[in-house]
Amino acid sequence: MRASDRAYATLLDEIQSGVLRPGAVLGEAEQAARLGVSRTPLREALGRLAADGLVAQQSPRVTVVTAIDADDIREIFEVRRALEESAARLAAGRGDAAAFVQLAHEFARVDLDGAEGATDGLDAYYALIARFDATLDASLANDYLTAALRTVRTHLVRVRRLARDNPGRLAASVAEHRLIAEAIGARDADLAAHATHVHLHNALESILGALTSTPEHLK
C-alpha cells in the first residue's frame, strides 16, 4: 500500500469512528509524524479527504475535520434517496434474483440479541448490510451510480455513529431490508423502490431524533 493510501485509510477510519471529531485540527507536521509518512503523501491523503467533504483547509498547513449537522444529514439523505431508490429499481430488473432471495432469508434469521441458531449480534448484522450493498452494486452494471453510492456511504458511517444504536430502530431496519431484498428477488421494481423510500424515511427520522437528544460533547 502506498504511503498516501495508508494515511488516507487511517484518517478516514478515525474520522468515521469519531476518534477525530468535527473541528479536530490536523496539523501537517504533527499528522505526518504520527502516521509515519512524509508530508507529500500526507497532503495527498488530506486532498482526498477534502474531496470527500470530510476535512477542510483552514490555512496552507492546517486542515480541520468538517462538522456535520441536521441540515447536512438532510442533504445527504436527499441524495441517498435519489440514488438508492433508482438502484433498487435497476437491481430488480438486472440483478441475480436468487442472491436477493437468499439475502432476504438471512435478514429473516437476524437476531440482534444473538439467539442460538440466528445471525448473531450487531457485527454480523452490519456485515450482512455490507453484503447486501455489495450485491446491489454488482447488480447495477453502472460504474457512475456505484461510485456515487460509495461517496454517500462514506458520509453515512459518520451519520450512523451520531445516531448510536437504537434497538427498536435496528429491529425495524432488519425488517425493512428484508422487504427490499424480497422485492428485488421477486423482480418487483415498484415495491423495491417504495420499500427503499420507506426505509430511508424512517432512518432519517431516527437519526435526526437521536441527534437532537445527544449532548454536544458526545457528538
Side-chain angles (χ1 to χ4, degrees):
M1 183 182 291
R2 295 187 311 154
S4 61
D5 292 336
R6 188 172 69 251
Y8 172 80
T10 299
L11 291 170
L12 176 63
D13 179 70
E14 291 175 345
I15 292 169
Q16 289 181 325
S17 66
V19 172
L20 291 174
R21 295 180 178 276
V25 176
L26 305 179
E28 189 176 285
E30 294 80 4
Q31 293 302 317
R34 182 176 73 88
L35 298 172
V37 300
S38 66
R39 294 192 182 189
T40 296
L42 177 70
R43 288 170 189 153
E44 292 177 7
L46 292 175
R48 290 172 63 186
L49 291 167
D52 291 337
L54 297 176
V55 303
Q57 195 168 28
Q58 280 194 337
S59 73
R61 300 189 186 279
V62 177
T63 303
V64 298
V65 177
T66 55
I68 186 165
D69 59 21
D71 287 338
D72 294 319
I73 292 169
R74 291 188 184 95
E75 290 175 6
I76 290 168
F77 268 77
E78 285 179 359
V79 177
R80 189 184 179 194
R81 276 194 294 266
L83 295 175
E84 293 196 10
E85 289 178 33
S86 294
R89 284 187 178 279
L90 290 173
R94 300 175 179 176
D96 180 348
F100 285 99
V101 170
Q102 177 58 36
L103 284 166
H105 289 321
E106 293 186 51
F107 280 117
R109 292 173 43 239
V110 166
D111 188 321
L112 297 173
D113 296 322
E116 185 176 353
T119 300
D120 294 340
L122 280 175
D123 287 344
Y125 173 56
Y126 288 130
L128 179 55
I129 293 291
R131 286 199 291 115
F132 173 85
D133 288 342
T135 305
L136 184 72
D137 290 353
S139 301
L140 302 178
N142 185 322
D143 292 341
Y144 298 102
L145 181 52
T146 54
L149 285 167
R150 280 195 298 271
T151 299
V152 170
R153 289 168 188 154
T154 297
H155 292 277
L156 285 175
V157 176
R158 298 179 80 195
V159 171
R160 289 179 183 132
R161 181 186 61 79
L162 289 172
R164 311 296 175 189
D165 291 330
N166 180 324
R169 175 61 207 142
L170 285 168
S173 180
V174 173
E176 290 161 8
H177 275 95
R178 178 184 178 182
L179 179 57
I180 295 168
E182 287 176 342
I184 295 173
R187 300 209 179 280
D188 189 332
D190 287 340
L191 179 57
H194 179 70
T196 300
H197 179 87
V198 170
H199 167 63
L200 296 181
H201 170 80
N202 292 339
L204 176 60
E205 291 300 307
S206 176
I207 288 168
L208 292 177
L211 188 65
T212 57
S213 63
T214 300
E216 285 296 323
H217 71 282
L218 292 178
K219 293 180 181 178

